[in-house]
Amino acid sequence: MQEQKTILSEKDMARTLDRLASEITERRGDDEKLAIIGIQRRGADLAERLKDLLDSRLGRKIPLGKLDINLYRDDWTNLSRQPSINCTEIPFDIESASIVLVDDVLFSGRTVRAALEAVLDFGRPKRVELLVLVDRGHRELPIRADYVGKEVRTYEEQHVNVLVSERDEEDKVVLIKS
């Protein structure tokens, strides 16, 4: 039996994304080479929302990309099912850009490692910062987020699921215990 607890409601998610956009604006608002790349799938959805918030705050269009990291994963040959391949779209020059890499949940750090490798295949950015909606701990690699929506202490057997209206018809973050 699964036990489920909501840790961010729709209103909480909107407020959290607004705060994260403010943090980016404070740190990087003057950077003309600021760009956002969302990790497919839900990280890309969150990145689109952040882009809209930043466009409004900064009065300019922030470049947005979407990154599929499945072929860069170090565990894809061990997965019980084949990975679902999504598209990568980076319609701007990464060279010397200040990239904010967006993902929904930070756990082991392996997704971020794969994303960094994928980004570097497109060029050498000036910097890459990581933004996550939820940091649930249990790192296997020395990776940390620069922008964190919510830190949640979890047990390894728990899962954090981010639901977004673009895919799931509702916005919320739930903690699931098997």
Side-chain angles (χ1 to χ4, degrees):
M1 180 174 204
Q2 287 188 340
E3 185 182 314
Q4 181 173 302
K5 176 184 175 187
T6 299
I7 55 177
L8 287 176
S9 68
E10 178 179 4
K11 189 181 277 187
D12 296 332
M13 276 181 68
R15 192 171 30 245
T16 299
L17 288 172
D18 191 62
R19 177 178 52 80
L20 291 168
S22 291
E23 289 179 28
I24 294 169
T25 301
E26 286 176 26
R27 286 191 208 170
R28 302 285 168 232
D30 293 337
D31 191 335
E32 291 298 320
K33 299 275 281 185
L34 176 65
I36 300 173
I37 297 178
I39 299 173
Q40 291 279 20
R41 299 180 320 161
R42 286 169 180 80
D45 298 329
L46 296 171
E48 284 190 49
R49 295 182 191 187
L50 282 166
K51 178 209 177 341
D52 291 343
L53 291 167
L54 290 169
D55 286 354
S56 174
R57 277 179 171 75
L58 298 174
R60 58 187 162 101
K61 297 286 185 197
I62 301 299
L64 173 68
K66 297 177 183 182
L67 187 66
D68 180 19
I69 55 92
N70 279 303
L71 296 178
Y72 291 87
R73 290 179 60 117
D74 59 6
D75 62 349
W76 72 271
T77 56
N78 300 329
L79 297 176
S80 59
R81 58 181 174 77
Q82 287 188 313
S84 172
I85 305 299
N86 297 286
C87 69
T88 291
E89 297 174 24
I90 301 181
F92 57 89
D93 186 11
I94 277 186
E95 288 295 323
S96 302
S98 293
I99 305 292
V100 176
L101 188 62
V102 179
D103 203 7
D104 56 350
V105 178
L106 179 56
F107 180 42
S108 68
R110 294 193 176 279
T111 296
V112 176
R113 185 218 48 89
L116 289 170
E117 192 174 326
V119 165
L120 291 174
D121 276 352
F122 284 87
R124 187 176 189 283
K126 177 179 179 181
R127 76 173 45 87
V128 178
E129 294 178 313
L130 177 62
L131 179 147
V132 296
L133 184 62
V134 178
D135 182 346
R136 62 163 291 196
H138 304 284
R139 228 61 91 239
E140 295 172 9
L141 299 172
I143 291 174
R144 67 169 179 76
D146 301 284
Y147 307 94
V148 178
K150 183 168 183 77
E151 289 188 38
V152 179
R153 293 180 188 220
T154 64
Y155 297 106
E156 294 238 9
E157 65 273 6
Q158 292 175 311
H159 297 279
V160 174
N161 287 348
V162 174
L163 305 176
V164 293
S165 57
E166 295 89 339
R167 295 180 191 281
D168 309 301
E169 298 177 10
E170 65 179 327
D171 284 340
K172 71 179 179 179
V173 179
V174 294
L175 180 64
I176 299 174
K177 183 178 178 187
S178 299

